Amino acid sequence: MSSIPDNFKSLYSGKTKEVLADTQTGDTYLLYKDSATGNDGVFDPGSNTVGGSVDGKGKIGLVISAYFFELLEQHGTLTHFLGADLDRGLMKVRQVDVVPLEFILRYYTAGSICRRFDLEPGIPFDPPYTEVTLKSDEQGDPLIDERLCIMKGYLQPGEYDQALDTLSRIAAVLRSELAAMNLILIDLKIELGFDQDRNIVLVDEVTPDIWRVQDSNGNIPNQIDCANLILERIEQAV
């Protein structure tokens, strides 16, 4: 597992990443951890708890995130990605104002939406189904609408729809790229922030920790197996 360099200090520690600051330069970095979300040792990208740890997961996630951040920027998406130090497991990121929201897009029913609405998995959505939740483990990540986002000061008028449009464009790029890897994108959740000009910016990560996919055999691999598969495809493409 990657460790925090001596000249860095921790600003925030999440389930799968740690936000660090270089005390000499003031630059901000993400340290990708080896921990994975899940329950009772079963890995699940939709879980809000840590289900275990896998050696090397952090660096694999960093490679995948760098690949997809660069791909998305080529397609016109603003991101916080500035570069990756693979040896130390660090991603350099620009400082943005991150909102405590998660933006979810579903191409098929899976996970929590099946439990909440008594739906069978695998039902297609056309057009895709979108949701916004408050990023709060303590409150169970409740659904939140535009009025409450504005009332709480997370978004300004008009930004809710702009964020969902950004979500849809990001999902379309990822869906196409994953299809080229023989993977069907089921759903995903992303985090967004704002730069100093109030432009919407994709933040956090772009790894199997934020999506579900179906492979060519009809199986839904957990985020560990999915990451290994995608890493292999990325290395083959280089």
Side-chain angles (χ1 to χ4, degrees):
M1 179 177 177
S2 301
S3 59
I4 300 176
D6 291 339
N7 58 309
F8 282 57
K9 66 176 180 180
S10 176
L11 301 178
Y12 171 78
S13 183
K15 292 183 286 291
T16 60
K17 289 173 300 301
E18 191 153 358
V19 182
L20 306 176
D22 186 327
T23 57
Q24 296 177 349
T25 66
D27 293 331
T28 303
Y29 293 81
L30 295 184
L31 173 70
Y32 280 62
K33 300 180 181 180
D34 287 342
S35 54
T37 55
N39 292 285
D40 299 323
V42 178
F43 298 123
D44 177 6
S47 175
N48 285 329
T49 58
V50 173
S53 179
V54 177
D55 287 344
K57 175 185 178 292
K59 289 190 177 181
I60 292 174
L62 176 58
V63 172
I64 294 172
S65 240
Y67 176 84
F68 282 107
F69 271 127
E70 290 174 349
L71 175 69
L72 287 163
E73 289 195 339
Q74 291 169 11
H75 285 80
T77 297
L78 296 177
T79 81
H80 71 168
F81 177 75
L82 291 175
D85 183 339
L86 299 181
D87 290 335
R88 296 192 295 176
L90 295 174
M91 176 182 288
K92 186 178 181 180
V93 297
R94 60 173 50 91
Q95 296 183 30
V96 298
D97 181 17
V98 180
V99 292
L101 303 170
E102 291 182 326
F103 299 86
I104 301 165
L105 183 142
R106 302 178 186 275
Y107 288 112
Y108 300 89
T109 54
S112 65
I113 199 167
C114 294
R115 297 189 295 271
R116 284 184 280 135
F117 299 109
D118 193 22
L119 295 169
E120 291 294 323
I123 301 172
F125 285 115
D126 187 16
Y129 188 84
T130 58
E131 298 176 312
V132 181
T133 65
L134 179 66
K135 185 175 172 62
S136 171
D137 292 341
E138 294 77 12
Q139 295 172 271
D141 295 343
L143 292 171
I144 188 168
D145 65 8
E146 180 179 19
R147 290 181 63 189
L148 286 174
C149 287
I150 294 172
M151 182 184 297
K152 294 285 289 182
Y154 301 142
L155 300 174
Q156 297 176 6
E159 290 178 343
Y160 189 91
D161 288 341
Q162 292 174 22
L164 291 181
D165 180 66
T166 299
L167 168 65
S168 296
R169 288 188 284 105
I170 289 170
V173 173
L174 295 179
R175 188 186 198 189
S176 176
E177 185 68 12
L178 290 168
M181 299 178 179
N182 295 318
L183 297 169
I184 297 172
L185 182 59
I186 295 173
D187 57 20
L188 78 159
K189 63 180 177 182
I190 62 172
E191 295 184 38
L192 299 172
F194 294 93
D195 65 14
Q196 59 184 4
D197 297 317
R198 202 65 188 178
N199 296 310
I200 294 177
V201 179
L202 175 64
V203 302
D204 196 41
E205 64 179 314
V206 188
T207 74
D209 282 355
I210 72 164
W211 64 53
R212 291 186 184 90
V213 297
Q214 185 181 82
D215 64 21
S216 56
N217 295 318
N219 300 315
I220 300 176
N222 64 40
Q223 63 266 50
I224 307 302
D225 294 336
C226 184
N228 289 327
L229 178 60
I230 290 175
L231 179 64
E232 181 181 339
R233 302 290 168 81
I234 290 174
E235 291 175 340
Q236 290 173 350
V238 174

